[in-house]
Amino acid sequence: MSQALQAVRGMNDILPDEAEIWEHFEDLVRDWLRSYGYRPIRTPIVEPTPLFKRAIGEVTDIVEKEMYSFEDALNGEHLTLRPECTASCVRAAIQHKMLFSGGQRLYYQGPMFRHERPQKGRYRQFHQIGAEALGFAGPDIDAELIMMCSRLWDDLGLEDVKLELNSLGSAEERLRHRAELITYLQRHESLLDEDARRRLHANPLRILDTKNPELQEIVEAAPRLTEFLGAESMAHFKGVQTLLKDAGIPYRINPRLVRGLDYYNRTVFEWVTTRLGAQGTVCAGGRYDGLIEMLGGKPAPAAGFAMGVERLLALWRESGGQAEHAKPDVYVVHVGEKAQRMAFRAAEALRGYGFAVLTHCGAGSFKSQMKKADASDAQLAVVIGDDEAASGEVGLKPLRGPGIQQKVMLDGLADAVAACLFAKEEDEYGSV
Ligand code: ATP
Ligand code: MG
């Protein structure tokens, strides 16, 4: 026997028990996004590498060390598995002139790829659900995006998800802050780690969100961007806060929240929990007013967020979130060639009425098939042998609870199944 192959490290199989929870979660999420007027967009998994280099920024964790990039073997094009989807959404919006007809509220969901060290809550293929509001300038949309998230946590029954908020101001404000920040960090240069020293001049803001515990004290005392905000940025930031206060959403202003991607400005936020260990950020987002122009579009403001599905599901499960295991209504048991043909007709007829039906496939005695029917969690078995095939009547047998097997003509089967299932529901919920 040859050696069995394994999935790529950090890329997970999601098996049926787990995938059912994912689908249930995705259903809830889709309803929630629609209730805020967001519409789906699906972009390719693979994009030209320059898209991410330009959008995310050259001196960022993602572009420096996390992208799965390769050359197309056929034409030498530089391609990358998407590490995030905001850049793709903006590229698509520009390419298809979507903003000509005004602002667009978009959402996406799907796998993203980053070459990171795999650990709990951090994978190389992971999944995000994200919303992007393209063409909206005001603090109102920022607040709406945040309020949306808050509602989702409520809908899912998640506790302990806290909002952190900051403003990155405008490019000019960041430039003035940057000069002060460099001076400050230079005073402590001997204490900086290799990453920080390399970024000191290229991207000093990024040093503020270092995860190195030895640098915490230094960055804690660093000059704060919020002190460099001008009147407009300040008014925007206050505008967001007023709407959040009105909505009763508590937040903490975290001056060190700078986000790992270069395209953000003004409002940035993260939703964080202490229940997931080190990987506690379940959702992150903010405003990126320069990105559309930077990627070649007509200048237009925008804001959005992305949430990590694996982390959210871990949290949801902890709070009791689960999915109903999908059960068939009916399992069709049959022995004999004529019986098999009748079984297929019966099953298709029932599906036509909307019932979920498992038809036994493969050989087996009545006894072994009935065992399978029981194990399938179906409510009812339809039983067909040579006698039934000859008479045109099938056996209908309740698999759980009381009730006896009855004989039913094929054209009355759907009604009989409905009667059995409905009677059972009445038993469970009391008669109506
Ligand atoms: P981190 O600081 O944890 O690396 P990030 O700033 O790189 O996060 P974003 O690019 O903002 O993350 O992505 C948004 C969300 O996607 C994160 O808050 C997180 O929930 C999720 N996420 C990011 N990277 C991963 C990963 N490798 N595995 C699982 N989820 C991830
Ligand atoms: Mg990261």
Side-chain angles (χ1 to χ4, degrees), residues 60-228:
T60 55
D61 281 348
I62 293 180
V63 173
E64 281 182 341
K65 49 193 180 199
E66 295 175 358
M67 294 207 301
Y68 283 93
S69 298
F70 56 98
E71 260 181 48
D72 186 314
L74 294 179
N75 63 10
E77 244 184 299
H78 294 274
L79 303 176
T80 293
L81 300 186
R82 63 183 188 194
E84 57 105 57
C85 204
T86 301
S88 312
C89 288
V90 169
R91 193 237 349 106
I94 297 168
Q95 183 175 338
H96 304 288
K97 304 183 172 52
M98 290 171 68
L99 294 177
F100 280 23
S101 49
Q104 294 277 341
R105 287 178 167 90
L106 304 174
Y107 77 83
Y108 59 82
Q109 59 181 62
M112 307 297 155
F113 302 83
R114 297 185 193 177
H115 198 281
E116 305 201 64
R117 194 170 66 79
Q119 51 196 295
K120 184 170 170 272
R122 195 175 289 287
Y123 310 101
R124 290 179 173 173
Q125 173 172 332
F126 64 101
H127 297 74
Q128 286 184 337
I129 291 169
E132 312 291 354
L134 308 180
F136 295 87
D140 48 1
I141 201 87
D142 305 7
E144 184 188 90
L145 286 162
I146 293 171
M147 282 155 66
M148 275 172 79
C149 296
S150 170
R151 175 173 295 277
L152 182 63
W153 315 149
D154 281 352
D155 288 353
L156 296 172
L158 303 186
E159 282 164 11
D160 293 337
V161 190
K162 302 219 158 67
L163 175 61
E164 305 213 330
L165 195 64
N166 194 20
S167 173
L168 299 182
S170 66
E172 302 79 60
E173 287 152 4
R174 276 203 300 282
L175 214 58
R176 277 191 281 125
H177 167 254
R178 180 192 153 103
E180 294 255 343
L181 183 60
I182 293 178
T183 314
Y184 168 84
L185 290 169
Q186 273 173 332
R187 285 210 304 276
H188 300 90
E189 196 161 351
S190 59
L191 301 172
L192 298 182
D193 62 13
E194 193 193 317
D195 251 5
R197 231 169 275 157
R198 197 163 36 82
R199 288 175 173 180
L200 184 54
H201 294 281
N203 199 343
L205 196 59
R206 196 86 315 122
I207 300 174
L208 295 183
D209 70 350
T210 175
K211 291 185 175 104
N212 183 349
E214 283 163 24
L215 293 185
Q216 299 309 311
E217 219 173 293
I218 296 174
V219 293
E220 205 58 64
R224 302 187 157 184
L225 227 171
T226 34
E227 283 151 26
F228 292 77

Side-chain angles (χ1 to χ4, degrees), residues 246-287:
D246 285 352
I249 296 175
Y251 59 86
R252 179 177 85 92
I253 294 182
N254 174 1
R256 287 186 44 200
L257 183 62
V258 296
R259 309 286 305 112
L261 304 87
D262 272 356
Y263 51 58
Y264 287 107
N265 68 303
R266 288 200 173 158
T267 319
V268 287
F269 60 89
E270 287 192 359
W271 290 93
V272 195
T273 178
T274 49
R275 292 196 177 198
L276 294 177
Q279 267 54 254
T281 306
V282 291
C283 174
R287 181 154 280 287

